[in-house]
Amino acid sequence: APGLERVPPFLLKLFRIVDGAETEACVRWAEDGLSLHISDPPAFVRDVLPAYFKHNRLSSFLQQMRTYGFERRVGTTVRDGSHEFAHVHFAKGRPELLVELAKGAREKQMGAGAEKAERSVRQRTGGVTEAPNQPGHSPDQLFNISNQFGHSDGSVPAPPLTMLKGGGAAGTHAPNCLSFAHA
């Protein structure tokens, strides 16, 4: 199917595992073809995982599935030790859906990355996420902001006046580093 070259190896292997006749004794499609059913977890761990992955830990495999958005199928039982998982873009005979599954996972990760970056900025700036000279700041707010970065009289510290080669006084540190110091 076109576009499968952009699908992560985990998803391609997962589709092959579930679709393969040689693994049918321990993992297969559910009757409706909309979920995968691991009917014999010990055999799956012993025989299938090491044949396709560099590990044989069911917990790692299930974590990887959760990373891609697979969910335990509602209404399934695990009393017999089996597992059944579904994803809207994972269906029997439809490998082309893997492109959408991978795309959704990338978008989710990008969104999480953007949220993490925004939290980091808020933490470093004490919650200030806009420039202090933006319209809407009163003179009192600007004065308070300048006090956070300046002296108590509201003046701003002088910028560095001299550069010393070597990262410190008289070049005592790494010779190719530059540092700033007040004259």
Side-chain angles (χ1 to χ4, degrees):
L4 288 181
E5 63 278 355
R6 294 188 319 261
V7 174
F10 175 82
L11 296 175
L12 294 171
K13 290 176 184 181
L14 179 62
F15 195 87
R16 253 180 272 156
I17 289 168
V18 179
D19 217 39
E22 68 279 0
T23 59
E24 197 173 299
C26 59
V27 60
R28 64 184 175 282
W29 291 105
E31 285 189 33
D32 62 6
L34 300 177
S35 61
L36 67 96
H37 181 80
I38 302 172
S39 57
D40 187 351
F44 181 74
V45 167
R46 182 186 64 242
D47 302 330
V48 178
L49 286 182
Y52 287 87
F53 303 103
K54 295 178 183 175
H55 66 81
N56 64 346
R57 292 181 311 279
L58 184 60
S59 62
S60 297
F61 176 79
L62 297 177
Q63 178 60 45
Q64 189 76 11
M65 289 187 51
R66 284 189 291 277
T67 298
Y68 285 102
F70 283 85
E71 295 179 357
R72 186 175 296 278
R73 190 141 187 209
V74 177
T76 62
T77 179
V78 293
R79 283 189 206 134
D80 61 356
S82 66
H83 302 273
E84 192 166 333
F85 290 91
H87 190 287
V88 67
H89 293 119
F90 192 78
K92 184 177 184 177
R94 303 283 314 273
E96 71 278 4
L97 292 178
L98 295 176
V99 175
E100 292 301 314
L101 197 159
K103 181 179 164 187
R106 278 193 305 277
E107 289 171 356
K108 183 178 175 183
Q109 288 173 347
M110 295 290 284
E115 289 172 19
K116 185 176 179 181
E118 187 176 328
R119 275 194 308 274
S120 174
V121 167
R122 269 193 248 116
Q123 287 173 340
R124 286 182 302 198
T125 62
V128 177
T129 57
E130 57 185 56
N133 61 352
Q134 293 290 324
H137 285 90
S138 72
D140 288 335
Q141 288 173 316
L142 292 173
F143 181 77
N144 290 336
I145 291 169
S146 70
N147 278 344
Q148 291 176 6
F149 302 105
H151 296 294
S152 58
D153 65 358
S155 66
V156 177
L161 299 177
T162 62
M163 288 191 327
L164 299 174
K165 186 171 180 170
T172 57
H173 298 290
N176 294 326
C177 299
L178 296 176
S179 69
F180 295 93
H182 292 283

